[in-house]
Amino acid sequence: MTVFRFSLISLVLFSLVFSGCRTKRSSSFVKGDARFDPLAAGDFVQLDETLLKDSDFVWAGGYDAQGNYIGEGGEFDIDGNWVGAGGYDENGVWTGKGLFDSTGKYIGPGGGYDEYGNFVGPTGPYDKSGTYAGWSAGDYDFGAPGDRLAGSLQDVQGDYQVIQFNYDRAEVPQAEMGKVTGMAEYLTNNPQLNLVVEGHCDERGSEAYNMALGEQRALAVRAALVMRGVEPSRVTTLSFGEEAPVNPAHNDNAWRENRRAEMKLLQ
Amino acid sequence: MKRIPFIFTLALFLFGSELFLTHQASAQFTTVGKSKEAIDYTDFKIQPIPAARIFIETLKKDLTTSGHFTEALRGRGDYKIVGEAAMDGPRLNVKLQVVVSAGGSVRYGHMYNSTPQAVRSLAHRYADEILLAIKKKTGIANTSIAYLGEVNGKKEVFLCDYDGGNPRQYTNDRSISMSPTWDPSGQKLLYTSFRKGFPDVYEISVANGQRNRLANFPGLNTGAVFAPNGRDVALVLSKDGNPEIYIMNRQTLKPRRITKTKASAKSTPTWSPDGKQIAFVSDHGGKPNIYIVTPANGRLKQITFEGRENVQPNWSNNNLIAYSSKQGSSYEIRVYNANSGKSQSVLSDGRTDFGHPSWSPNGRHLVTVGELNYVSSLYILDTKEGKVIPIVKGRGSWSAPSWSPHQR
């Protein structure tokens, strides 16, 4: 079996090389092709298209929809996403075993991504609206955004304070999540402190809508903190909409600076 | 018929330097079947003092802006206004009659007086009474507009007459104020203020400035608006983890949630004239669109689908919902007819961003913000004729107008 497998793999490699790496087709190996040094005529019979189909490659591993070899075992779903004993998440990173949800998002080996794109753990389904339903099925709800916590506000040291958001979006961008993680650790180590998360928008759009969008940004940061172990009651939200910009100019640069959440400690 | 395009062109010419109106198909403006009636003011005597001049000019402007009358040349009106305005001691005394030109019958006559400072209000009062007497229609001359203005980097609530006259600063919170709205009696305003560091809803008496805080829940408290019954308040709260629409009784102040969607931004609830539905903005469908919710059963109905954003709905007494819609690169005012389900554009010029429309109580005029080069001004629009008049402009940015109910 080993020998056979070795030959087959070599032939697979041949087919990759000589068919422009499109493994779904093996048309280069037409019988009698002059490019090949004829070994025993019988050796090439097995390379006939009728013998090697796409599915033949599956047992030795799998290929994703782009033709990249992605390891052993597995199947493709009807959309062509690899869903077997292994998978690629939406960033193209090999994530091992698991399933894809109906939107094509990798939902882990039985785990899932929340609507902010954060991996939220090994268990939990998506509800009908596509929202990750959390550690236990149910509403995505971390409860009230904290009472009006008393205390005086302190700016956070270093560059943890400000989290930038993309235009018209309320998810914490992946690149900014390190600040949230850092703040969660800090709060865990300093239980006497609480936190206010301010939400802000750039000036485009209606002021009333931006009040709610700013609140959503603050709520997103709060949710991310809670998922990193901070008690929900320690974090409150405060939206200023577009009313408190840091940069009063009317250009992309200013708008980018103004689309932010600011974390402020309460002591 | 000729007078209508003339006035339109004149308005364009006078105010058009910053407002290039490129209205769409003229079919949207239903011109009156017969020509408007004309009023001859030339026999009204005024003492040559400012108060009397302001009186007659304001009266003329009110009657013309109503959309029902034009100003006639001498001897050519359907009606004549006769009488006089003259000082009687410290007060301006006005005797005024409206007479039908053909036949001379008197359709209206009253004598009022006022201090010289209040002469605009006097003219507004006459204008609405004349309109009622002759056309049996309720006018808008006796209404006010609440709005926001920037003062020393803060936003405060202002009031003015419907034509922009008598503008005055109303709050002095030295903080950020947002979205003032009127109660149905015209005696109270609701608005959002950050004066205590968080966005809270306040009710404030117009007559004496007495203030009550109505909502200070964790998170957002904003967009508060009285129902037609004067007892319930719709508002946006995020206290349960997501911005949603709530209804709160003015006396008990206990909110009841009436929408529940996945995490999304919501804003500007506005009540239907029968008080049974609320239109609002939500982006749970992917982008901001306008939905109608029926609080009795929680059913949602989406009413806008096109464009990139549809925001700031305002529901008129005659069942029309005006809103701001971003179709291309700028925002325009559109009106959705809740009876027919059809929507049409009423104000756009391809450059100015028009937004935050608020209907007058007669459902014909609306006040709106027009923003160009990041400076915003207030305009009133006659939706029947497409006439636009700036009312609050210059020396800063003015926003968030709300048209009062009829007063007095």
Side-chain angles (χ1 to χ4, degrees), chain A residues 115 131 139 141 143-148 203 205-209 211-213 215-216 219 237-240 243 250 255, chain B residues 155 178 194 197-200 217-221 238-241 260 263-268 283 288 312 331 374:
Chain A
E115 65 261 39
T131 307
D139 290 340
D141 186 352
D147 284 330
R148 296 285 171 83
E203 64 188 332
S206 89
E207 293 98 338
Y209 174 76
M211 280 297 289
L213 181 59
E215 178 73 0
Q216 288 220 276
L219 285 168
T237 54
L238 169 52
S239 171
F240 285 94
E243 311 295 319
H250 307 294
W255 296 336
Chain B
K155 269 164 105 160
M178 302 188 69
F194 281 80
F198 289 84
D200 296 336
F217 297 99
L220 275 185
N221 301 271
S238 68
K239 69 181 191 61
D240 294 321
K260 186 175 157 97
S264 60
K266 295 191 188 56
S267 59
T268 43
D283 67 1
Q312 294 167 332
Y331 290 79
Y374 303 104

Side-chain angles (χ1 to χ4, degrees), chain B residues 30 32-34 36-37 62-63 65-69 79 107-108 124-143 318 360-365 382 384-385 406:
Chain B
T30 47
V32 184
K34 46 190 190 317
K36 284 192 265 193
E37 290 180 310
D62 285 346
L63 290 170
T65 304
S66 76
H68 293 281
F69 300 111
Y79 300 94
R107 297 288 292 275
Y108 170 88
H124 292 326
R125 181 172 199 165
Y126 270 112
D128 274 357
E129 288 187 2
I130 290 167
L131 182 65
L132 190 64
I134 299 183
K135 296 284 188 186
K136 308 276 181 290
K137 295 237 189 263
T138 314
I140 56 170
N142 253 338
T143 56
N318 52 351
S360 67
N362 69 3
R364 171 173 173 158
H365 293 77
D382 178 339
K384 205 163 176 185
E385 297 186 350
H406 291 110

Side-chain angles (χ1 to χ4, degrees), chain B residues 91-357:
Chain B
R91 295 180 75 88
L92 181 77
N93 204 45
V94 175
K95 293 185 253 207
L96 187 151
Q97 282 183 332
V98 178
V99 170
V100 180
S101 297
S105 62
V106 177
R107 297 288 292 275
Y108 170 88
H110 262 292
M111 183 163 84
Y112 293 124
N113 62 52
S114 80
T115 61
Q117 292 75 24
V119 77
R120 282 181 209 275
S121 299
L122 187 66
H124 292 326
R125 181 172 199 165
Y126 270 112
D128 274 357
E129 288 187 2
I130 290 167
L131 182 65
L132 190 64
I134 299 183
K135 296 284 188 186
K136 308 276 181 290
K137 295 237 189 263
T138 314
I140 56 170
N142 253 338
T143 56
S144 306
I145 293 175
Y147 58 107
L148 296 174
E150 286 169 10
V151 178
N152 298 326
K154 311 290 182 193
K155 269 164 105 160
E156 306 281 4
V157 178
F158 284 70
L159 297 175
C160 68
D161 299 343
Y162 89 104
D163 59 2
N166 194 20
R168 53 219 186 264
Q169 182 177 338
Y170 197 69
T171 61
N172 197 29
D173 295 346
R174 285 181 268 255
S175 174
I176 300 166
S177 305
M178 302 188 69
S179 54
T181 59
W182 295 84
D183 84 316
S185 73
Q187 293 171 351
K188 295 186 284 190
L189 291 171
L190 294 178
Y191 76 112
T192 299
S193 172
F194 281 80
R195 61 202 299 266
K196 290 265 187 326
F198 289 84
D200 296 336
V201 170
Y202 290 85
E203 176 196 75
I204 189 163
S205 158
V206 177
N208 60 24
Q210 188 194 340
R211 175 200 291 280
N212 299 305
R213 187 165 66 180
L214 301 192
N216 64 328
F217 297 99
L220 275 185
N221 301 271
T222 187
V225 59
F226 267 106
N229 67 11
R231 286 195 311 270
D232 294 314
V233 174
L235 67 162
V236 180
L237 301 175
S238 68
K239 69 181 191 61
D240 294 321
N242 186 41
E244 300 283 6
I245 307 297
Y246 290 73
I247 293 176
M248 185 171 73
N249 178 282
R250 169 62 186 88
Q251 296 313 314
T252 66
L253 298 185
K254 295 229 179 323
R256 170 171 72 100
R257 184 161 85 181
I258 57 167
T259 62
K260 186 175 157 97
T261 68
K262 64 180 188 173
S264 60
K266 295 191 188 56
S267 59
T268 43
T270 177
W271 292 85
S272 63
D274 66 5
K276 293 189 176 147
Q277 292 180 310
I278 296 171
F280 64 99
V281 177
S282 175
D283 67 1
H284 69 272
K287 53 186 165 89
N289 268 309
I290 298 171
Y291 296 78
I292 293 176
V293 64
T294 306
N297 58 28
R299 289 221 190 93
L300 273 195
K301 173 177 155 177
Q302 184 170 348
I303 63 168
T304 62
F305 298 87
E306 288 164 7
R308 295 165 47 196
E309 286 178 37
N310 293 291
V311 291
Q312 294 167 332
N314 185 264
W315 209 322
S316 74
N317 289 334
N318 52 351
N319 221 19
L320 304 171
I321 300 178
Y323 60 100
S324 178
S325 182
K326 184 164 188 177
Q327 298 278 328
S329 59
S330 60
Y331 290 79
E332 62 184 48
I333 302 297
R334 297 181 66 86
V335 172
Y336 169 86
N337 187 323
N339 297 321
S340 68
K342 295 205 166 65
S343 185
Q344 68 176 54
S345 175
V346 297
L347 183 56
S348 69
D349 69 0
R351 294 172 59 209
T352 312
D353 282 339
F354 291 106
H356 208 287

